[in-house]
Amino acid sequence: MEEEISVLPKHVGFIMDGNGRWAKARNKPRTFGHQKGADVIYEIVSACFNRGIEAVSLYAFSTENWSRPREEIDKIFDLLRRFLKKYSATLLREKIRLIISGDLSALPDGLREECERRIGETKAFSSHTLNIAINYGSRAEILRAVNLLKGREGEVGEEEFSSCLYTAGLPDVDLVVRTSGEQRLSNFFLWQCAYSEFYFTEVLWPDFHEKQLTDALVWFSRRKRRFGGV
Ligand code: FPP
């Protein structure tokens, strides 16, 4: 199947949906589903980078996710903290730049500090970027950019506006993968997804492995992208 991938996306965004349903189907608490969901993340991220994809964005916690039970929120934060600790040496060894999209100020101190440390120590890397969206909402990100530009004289162009987003300097998202059968964007990088291809699969996130990634990339490779042209 590999030879069928003739065009690679530069930037892939993953909406990692279906952890709760995966756990429910096994009579387990939702938090167990998040744990399993976290377990597959590095497999997918490293497979993307090994294939030559430049940037991977993961939707880990949205501004709307605060309405979930506290226990579930704490579990997701704990998984993020563990993920960053577990893979900190790997990020350095593999020269992967970590960026976080979202407002870190509302996060528990330990998690915020862990994020800041890993961002700082990988900031000089440029060939691969892992972008984790935490306490992220695209509308909030766009408003933040508007406010950063407030008071600036003259017209603002697309490039300048993009440079005020969390993803400054990254290519637009070429491919969005959403698992679990839901077909919506849920406030995920609205500006950056203006010309994305959308791949929806019934597979639940904890069951999304390299085989499923390959299927998504083969599908992407067959798309005819016209960017408004003919
Ligand atoms: C959506 O599934 C998933 C989330 C809101 C959390 C995703 C977080 C992780 C996979 C773990 C932490 C992340 C990292 C980067 C280590 P859902 O709970 O909405 O599933 P459901 O629709 O089946 O209920």
Side-chain angles (χ1 to χ4, degrees):
M1 215 175 194
E2 297 291 313
E3 65 280 4
E4 292 180 52
I5 304 176
S6 53
V7 184
L8 266 184
K10 284 188 181 158
H11 185 172
V12 184
F14 292 96
I15 304 180
M16 309 179 288
D17 202 1
N19 296 341
R21 277 164 283 167
W22 189 92
K24 193 167 178 231
R26 288 158 181 81
N27 286 318
K28 300 276 191 191
R30 295 176 53 78
T31 49
F32 183 70
H34 293 313
Q35 167 81 60
K36 290 293 169 188
D39 288 348
V40 302
I41 286 176
Y42 196 73
E43 174 191 343
I44 296 302
V45 169
S46 64
C48 286
F49 292 148
N50 288 339
R51 284 164 187 269
I53 291 166
E54 276 176 42
V56 174
S57 291
L58 303 172
Y59 210 1
F61 189 82
S62 76
T63 45
E64 290 73 33
N65 287 152
W66 290 105
S67 63
R68 294 190 176 212
R70 189 68 227 187
E71 186 202 350
E72 187 173 338
I73 295 173
D74 288 342
K75 178 68 179 183
I76 294 173
F77 289 166
D78 188 47
L79 289 168
L80 281 163
R81 201 181 296 112
R82 283 165 190 269
F83 176 87
L84 294 174
K85 276 210 159 87
K86 181 171 178 190
Y87 291 105
S88 57
T90 311
L91 296 179
L92 293 173
R93 193 181 62 240
E94 302 293 327
K95 298 193 175 2
I96 297 170
R97 180 171 71 117
L98 176 76
I99 63 167
I100 303 283
S101 292
D103 178 9
L104 288 183
S105 69
L107 299 184
D109 290 348
L111 177 57
R112 194 185 60 247
E113 285 158 14
E114 186 66 30
C115 290
E116 284 163 354
R117 193 171 309 130
R118 304 310 165 200
I119 292 167
E121 63 189 20
T122 61
K123 68 172 191 257
F125 301 141
S126 54
S127 46
H128 298 306
T129 301
L130 173 59
N131 171 33
I132 308 184
I134 310 176
N135 192 20
Y136 174 83
S138 192
R139 288 185 176 184
E141 179 190 35
I142 289 169
L143 284 176
R144 175 178 170 273
V146 169
N147 285 312
L148 286 172
L149 290 162
K150 220 157 63 185
R152 183 186 149 313
E153 303 245 321
E155 287 196 5
V156 175
E158 284 194 14
E159 214 172 294
E160 191 181 2
F161 191 81
S162 297
S163 75
C164 294
L165 300 174
Y166 293 115
T167 51
L170 286 188
D172 277 352
V173 178
D174 300 297
L175 170 65
V176 174
V177 174
R178 184 167 190 155
T179 53
S180 91
E182 305 297 347
Q183 302 196 359
R184 52 179 174 264
L185 205 44
S186 302
N187 212 5
F188 181 77
F189 296 108
L190 303 177
W191 173 277
Q192 298 87 335
C193 290
Y195 283 100
S196 302
E197 300 290 331
F198 294 93
Y199 181 82
F200 299 110
T201 169
E202 295 291 323
V203 172
L204 305 176
W205 177 255
D207 292 326
F208 194 88
H209 293 287
E210 210 173 332
K211 150 85 176 70
Q212 285 72 27
L213 175 68
T214 303
D215 291 346
L217 294 175
V218 168
W219 176 88
F220 176 84
S221 183
R222 291 183 185 144
R223 303 293 303 161
K224 300 258 180 299
R225 302 182 81 205
R226 290 187 294 273
F227 297 98
V230 288

